Amino acid sequence: MFEKILIANRGEIACRVAHTCKRLGVRTVAVYSDADTHARHVALCDEAYLLGPAPARDSYLKADLLLQIARQSGAQAIHPGYGFLSENAEFAEACQTAGVVFIGPPPKAIRAMGSKSAAKAIMEQAGVPLVPGYHGKDQTLDTLARSAAEIGYPVLIKASAGGGGKGMRVVESAGQLAEGVAAAQREALASFGDDQVLIEKYLFRPRHIEIQVFADKQGQAVYLFERDCSVQRRHQKILEEAPAPGMSPERRREMGEAAVAAARAIGYEGAGTVEFIAHQDGSFYFMEMNTRLQVEHPVTEMITGQDLVEWQLLVAAGEPLPRAQEQLAIQGHAFEARIYAEDPDRDFLPSIGRLEHLRTPAENLHVRIDTGVRQNDEVSPHYDPMIAKLIVWDQDRGGALRRLGQALADYQIVGVATNIRLLSALVAHPAFAAGEVNTGFIEIHRSSLFPDKQPVSDHILALATLGRLLYVEREAASRAHESGDPWSPWRSTSAWRLNDDNMQTLYFRDGERDVSVTAHYHGDHVRLDLPGGSLPVSGELKGEGDLVADLDGVRVRATLVRQGEDMVILSQGASHLLTLHNPLTEGMEDEVDAGSLAAPMPGTVTRILVQEGDTVATGDPLLILEAMKMEHTITAPRAGMIECIHYTVGDQVQEGVELLVLGGTP
Ligand code: ADP
């Protein structure tokens, strides 16, 4: 086994590899770009080297620099992870030349699978079933048209050098072929610098089933069963599982043996995945082979109890495979959900930003989280927007599915938009529970997976209002505490202090809708006037923003995250954004001097929540004014220091007068 390896990657996969190395006592060398100086993978490894600026071509793709760092640090091998240089035959070769072990297959195996057409020719020779199609060198339209007619429409045109769904075109009839071929060729040339295409029969709503294979230098090869990755959004996998629903032991053996034959045909070594496309009738065809560790490898680890990164290290170090085929068995069922920073409301565009709040479900025997980020990390525009892989395991599919639903509900992310809502909807879908998966799943169930946005419920409004009132109370109390005034009413630690017989209205913006909630204080509880009626509530705010609320006798929990005037309420797996605003001050801002805070209406000062010299953050409550039997909280429009308070409790003020002066931060 190696003493020390270099991990030529970042994010979750770099952390994943480091994790196994740590367990095996192998020392690790991390590399990072300027954007990743404080990244989790850098912190996890024993030493770390800066590669260069953020763009991958200036950092993670710099083959020469990586080899230089390997030499300098004394790393004996390089683990490429996935993506970046993992399927780059020249890099694998350069490692060989430099005397550093490339933890992956031999360069010639990578090359053999690099072209879809060439790979198909090899697989045909090896007796692996292929989708009916044409993958020859003759690219004339005549030949392509004749082949398409023989296969039968609809057909799929693919770029031979393709990947990531680029250069793929469905052609419904002979009349559209010329146009489809031209478009696929243009896209292929632009993306891969090679316009060779192939034609396949277009299968209707097939399944994507792939086989994990492993081979060692001694000539042994095994399969570690299948993964079903049919649930895709735009040909990109988002939910994977193992074993595949409905797979019979005979079909499993047949597919496994075909995959091993494919690996043997190209002299494979290490971890590889043979991807098949499977027809609803159970027939299956070779699609391509990925010559690296796959993103979704953890589901295989969960059902086999094997650590595939450990296997990779052993094989690369020249050891035989740790298990023979008959020593491998499937236990239970596993799912992986890919949590992405992308915005479902903006057509799933990557969502860039800081992870202001990040809380994950507890990890245990059933729940595993592979991630490269922590709270306060940035999701940068330079790399893949995947935040984490959530992996669950249980004895059977139903149990694992239940755990996945619960773990998704417990995954709290504020700061960037995520696809968690879609994942939760998928997992809760009856057709998914029934195992009716295919590559068209999201299209078929679109209307139920993407329901129209509903206004925030009274339940959430009640939690938001209660949480806000408790926050105001807590902050005022802590300020009074700091001030040392023994007579301040905020020094009392009884649970509910806003106990006068008065009321306060909070104005929320919920998307396009404006909604207000009035709170009436009644000693130990508050009665809220909500759009749907009145509700007695009470509660307690704990720690960072954990709310334990009693809503008319029902005890519920929620988490509140504040960002200025924005409040995110995380409850039962859903997150709701509400923005606090004050309709009375809106439109007046222009008239008011930026540093001062003016009374929005004539009234009485009932509370002053700050003292001169206090520093405040945007949205902090400063003073409460009562008018028309309603309370209005004056909040800080920006961060700063309270320079002067012009009034005391009980004073009458006229509309527009300056109540206090907010200076800059000292
Ligand atoms: P890429 O390498 O660009 O990702 P693949 O060949 O791996 O392309 O195919 C990606 C996805 O496209 C598959 O998972 C499947 O959903 C769909 N697909 C591929 N080939 C076919 C086919 N012959 N018929 C129907 N769908 C297909």
Side-chain angles (χ1 to χ4, degrees):
M1 181 49 85
F2 307 110
E3 300 276 313
K4 192 190 234 188
I5 71 161
L6 184 149
I7 304 171
N9 215 301
R10 64 177 301 282
E12 69 87 15
I13 190 60
C15 296
R16 160 73 194 88
V17 173
H19 185 76
T20 290
C21 290
K22 192 147 272 181
R23 190 172 61 73
L24 300 176
V26 176
R27 276 177 294 142
T28 47
V29 179
V31 288
Y32 62 98
S33 73
D34 284 339
D36 282 337
T37 311
H38 302 292
R40 182 166 182 259
H41 78 276
V42 175
L44 280 184
C45 291
D46 297 311
E47 48 192 296
Y49 291 77
L50 177 65
L51 290 168
R57 64 174 180 282
D58 299 323
S59 50
Y60 297 102
L61 290 173
K62 296 201 85 170
D64 292 344
L65 185 53
L66 287 163
L67 284 168
Q68 191 190 313
I69 294 169
R71 267 192 300 272
Q72 194 183 333
S73 64
Q76 298 149 298
I78 296 183
H79 195 304
Y82 54 71
F84 295 139
L85 294 167
S86 62
E87 290 180 287
N88 185 312
E90 287 75 50
F91 181 63
E93 230 154 41
C95 287
Q96 257 175 7
T97 313
V100 177
V101 178
F102 175 76
I103 303 176
K108 77 170 187 355
I110 301 178
R111 277 209 182 91
M113 292 295 120
S115 149
K116 287 189 205 285
S117 301
K120 286 191 161 199
I122 296 170
M123 291 307 143
E124 204 166 29
Q125 285 282 313
V128 178
L130 300 184
V131 189
Y134 171 79
H135 50 265
K137 286 217 164 60
D138 183 354
Q139 297 279 302
T140 57
L141 193 59
D142 262 4
T143 306
L144 297 175
R146 211 173 325 109
S147 311
E150 270 168 35
I151 300 160
Y153 287 91
V155 296
L156 184 63
I157 321 262
K158 283 186 186 177
S160 190
K166 288 205 187 81
M168 241 159 59
R169 277 284 184 299
V170 182
V171 175
E172 302 284 349
S173 62
Q176 302 167 352
L177 186 75
E179 195 189 318
V181 168
Q185 284 173 333
R186 265 199 313 275
E187 221 170 289
L189 194 64
S191 302
F192 314 106
D194 175 354
D195 69 355
Q196 191 180 344
V197 295
L198 58 89
I199 304 182
E200 277 178 11
K201 172 99 189 140
Y202 183 67
L203 303 180
F204 183 65
R205 292 181 182 159
R207 282 168 68 178
H208 174 120
I209 298 179
E210 56 185 37
I211 307 287
Q212 176 72 54
V213 292
F214 242 101
D216 61 20
K217 294 185 200 293
Q218 288 75 8
Q220 305 301 312
V222 299
Y223 59 91
L224 289 99
F225 316 109
E226 77 279 5
R227 295 184 284 260
D228 192 311
C229 313
S230 299
V231 180
Q232 305 177 348
R233 205 184 59 75
R234 291 211 196 107
H235 302 305
Q236 300 291 326
K237 301 162 185 170
I238 53 172
L239 258 185
E240 301 100 347
E241 63 183 299
M247 176 73 96
S248 69
E250 297 74 42
R251 177 88 57 207
R252 174 171 298 129
R253 188 166 344 100
E254 214 182 321
M255 290 182 83
E257 283 169 4
V260 167
R264 287 193 188 282
I266 54 166
Y268 205 74
E269 284 167 26
T273 294
V274 182
E275 297 191 332
F276 292 102
I277 190 152
H279 217 298
Q280 297 299 341
D281 67 10
S283 53
F284 60 90
Y285 310 102
F286 171 83
M287 207 157 35
E288 65 173 342
M289 179 167 185
N290 290 322
T291 53
R292 54 173 164 81
L293 194 67
Q294 300 268 95
V295 176
E296 58 274 21
H297 76 276
V299 291
T300 301
E301 298 186 318
M302 298 298 262
I303 60 155
T304 58
Q306 305 299 314
D307 178 335
L308 299 191
V309 172
E310 181 179 358
W311 281 45
Q312 284 191 297
L313 296 176
L314 288 170
V315 168
E319 308 267 340
L321 290 177
R323 289 272 198 288
Q325 191 65 57
E326 56 280 8
Q327 296 172 308
L328 290 163
I330 296 179
Q331 205 195 347
H333 201 99
F335 285 99
E336 174 183 278
R338 299 192 192 186
I339 298 176
Y340 280 104
E342 52 187 23
D343 192 347
D345 295 331
R346 292 212 189 107
D347 202 21
F348 289 90
L349 276 176
S351 177
I352 306 307
R354 198 164 69 88
L355 298 164
E356 314 254 0
H357 170 89
L358 174 66
R359 208 182 284 171
T360 61
E363 286 191 79
N364 53 39
L365 189 69
H366 295 275
V367 178
R368 161 175 166 183
I369 296 163
D370 281 18
T371 187
V373 295
R374 299 155 298 196
Q375 181 161 291
N376 288 323
D377 283 355
E378 295 277 340
V379 175
S380 89
H382 303 290
Y383 314 109
D384 184 85
M386 191 164 73
I387 297 172
K389 303 186 311 202
L390 173 61
I391 305 118
V392 300
W393 177 90
D394 208 332
Q395 291 295 346
D396 55 30
R397 190 173 188 269
L401 199 54
R402 204 172 50 243
R403 287 189 191 274
L404 181 57
Q406 186 57 50
L408 281 167
D410 290 343
Y411 223 110
Q412 300 185 342
I413 299 173
V414 177
V416 296
T418 74
N419 66 338
I420 291 181
R421 206 170 55 198
L422 171 62
L423 291 168
S424 298
L426 281 167
V427 166
H429 202 284
F432 187 74
E436 293 163 14
V437 291
N438 64 65
T439 59
F441 193 92
I442 292 181
E443 264 329 298
I444 300 166
H445 302 290
R446 179 159 287 277
S447 60
S448 53
L449 293 172
F450 299 95
D452 288 339
K453 200 171 179 302
Q454 297 296 317
V456 160
S457 66
D458 276 14
H459 177 90
I460 297 299
L461 281 172
L463 293 171
T465 308
L466 181 63
R468 173 70 186 189
L469 297 178
L470 290 166
Y471 260 123
V472 172
E473 183 197 41
R474 179 199 271 186
E475 280 165 14
S478 84
R479 256 187 222 111
H481 195 76
E482 281 162 23
S483 79
D485 170 7
W487 305 111
S488 165
W490 305 107
R491 292 213 71 167
S492 147
T493 49
S494 67
W496 195 262
R497 283 171 224 93
L498 296 168
N499 55 2
D500 303 13
D501 183 21
N502 58 16
M503 60 199 217
Q504 182 182 357
T505 300
L506 296 184
Y507 299 90
F508 294 106
R509 189 155 289 149
D510 167 26
E512 301 287 291
R513 176 177 81 137
D514 281 343
V515 54
S516 65
V517 180
T518 300
H520 305 264
Y521 301 108
H522 292 282
D524 64 345
H525 74 279
V526 182
R527 190 165 51 76
L528 301 181
D529 291 338
L530 295 154
S534 175
L535 193 74
V537 305
S538 62
E540 231 186 309
L541 199 56
K542 296 180 172 173
E544 274 285 286
D546 290 317
L547 178 65
V548 182
D550 185 306
L551 306 184
D552 197 10
V554 182
R555 178 70 57 91
V556 293
R557 284 170 193 280
T559 302
L560 266 69
V561 181
R562 295 195 314 165
Q563 300 168 295
E565 293 297 85
D566 285 346
M567 286 179 84
V568 179
I569 299 97
L570 299 150
S571 164
Q572 294 171 337
S575 90
H576 311 270
L577 169 71
L578 289 170
T579 307
L580 273 167
H581 70 117
N582 188 343
L584 290 160
T585 55
E586 263 153 34
M588 285 182 57
E589 282 102 19
D590 295 347
E591 299 157 33
V592 175
D593 169 27
S596 80
L597 286 145
M601 57 194 172
T604 311
V605 176
T606 56
R607 296 176 205 284
I608 297 171
L609 308 172
V610 288
Q611 300 194 335
E612 287 175 9
D614 280 355
T615 50
V616 294
T618 310
D620 277 356
L622 308 176
L623 182 148
I624 297 176
L625 200 62
E626 190 185 313
M628 295 173 275
K629 291 199 133 231
M630 304 241 274
E631 276 197 358
H632 292 280
T633 307
I634 310 295
T635 59
R638 56 177 171 77
M641 194 186 72
I642 304 296
E643 276 180 8
C644 181
I645 303 173
H646 296 313
Y647 295 92
T648 54
V649 171
D651 283 351
Q652 298 282 324
V653 298
Q654 293 303 309
E655 181 181 337
V657 300
E658 187 182 65
L659 297 167
L660 24 75
V661 181
L662 180 63
T665 318

